Amino acid sequence: MSFQTSALILSWIAILLLALVVSGLVRQVHALSTGTVGRPGSVGLRPGSPAPRFRDLAPPSPATLVLLFLDPGCATCDHLLDAAAAHIRRTDVVLRILYRDTVPPRAADLPMTVVGEQADLFDRYDAIATPFAVVIDATGRIRRSEPVGSGVALRHLLDEVDHLSGDDTVHSIRRGGTR
């Protein structure tokens, strides 16, 4: 067999393999675009469900409670601490900062309630990623449960909660990071 024949056979084999790969990719893109691939389940507790350990976390007077689940190794979480500290001085919303493990020294000096060693609450509230916020009304029911991806998203959430704090109805979850 000559060199040209061998090269021609190898070229056709490579073209066939490439065609198989491209057809597989086209099938995957089609499946994703039509929504036939299973989507991941929602995170957090459903609106209207009772908040775990609400009595331990609730403020003494009836008010809307916002739990903010953070991680010391998360850069976005550090920025959210600053946003939360700036916003909490001008709102009636009660904010609790929760850490899975120990509280970093920077967070301990803030004018908010910061609690460490809360791995149990991370699991019970289904806070699988940080930063994560849960809004609880004065009756102990979940109003919203969602990841917050930036200081702007947290400020927007707190502004909405502050604006709706007199409303006792359960609102649907709005997904997404920044708005």
Side-chain angles (χ1 to χ4, degrees), residues 29-162:
V29 168
H30 179 70
L32 287 172
S33 66
T34 59
T36 56
V37 175
R39 299 193 188 279
S42 63
V43 296
L45 298 177
R46 290 190 171 279
S49 62
R53 287 187 39 204
F54 174 70
R55 297 286 171 230
D56 299 337
L57 300 166
S61 63
T64 301
L65 173 66
V66 176
L67 302 178
L68 189 57
F69 295 87
L70 301 178
D71 182 63
C74 166
T76 304
C77 296
D78 290 339
H79 296 301
L80 287 183
L81 274 175
D82 297 332
H87 193 279
I88 204 65
R89 292 186 184 104
R90 59 179 181 88
T91 185
D92 293 331
V93 173
V94 176
L95 185 65
R96 303 279 190 254
I97 309 293
L98 304 172
Y99 284 91
R100 183 178 295 277
D101 298 316
T102 59
V103 175
R106 180 177 175 276
D109 297 333
L110 294 174
M112 296 175 286
T113 303
V114 181
V115 185
E117 307 295 332
Q118 298 299 314
D120 176 53
L121 283 178
F122 272 71
D123 295 337
R124 292 179 76 183
Y125 279 92
D126 197 22
I128 60 172
T130 57
F132 193 83
V134 177
V135 179
I136 306 169
D137 65 18
T139 64
R141 298 280 179 189
I142 304 292
R143 289 179 75 177
R144 290 174 69 167
S145 182
E146 63 190 51
V148 284
S150 67
V152 172
L154 178 65
R155 283 191 298 274
H156 183 72
L157 173 85
L158 292 174
D159 286 341
E160 281 186 6
V161 169
D162 209 18

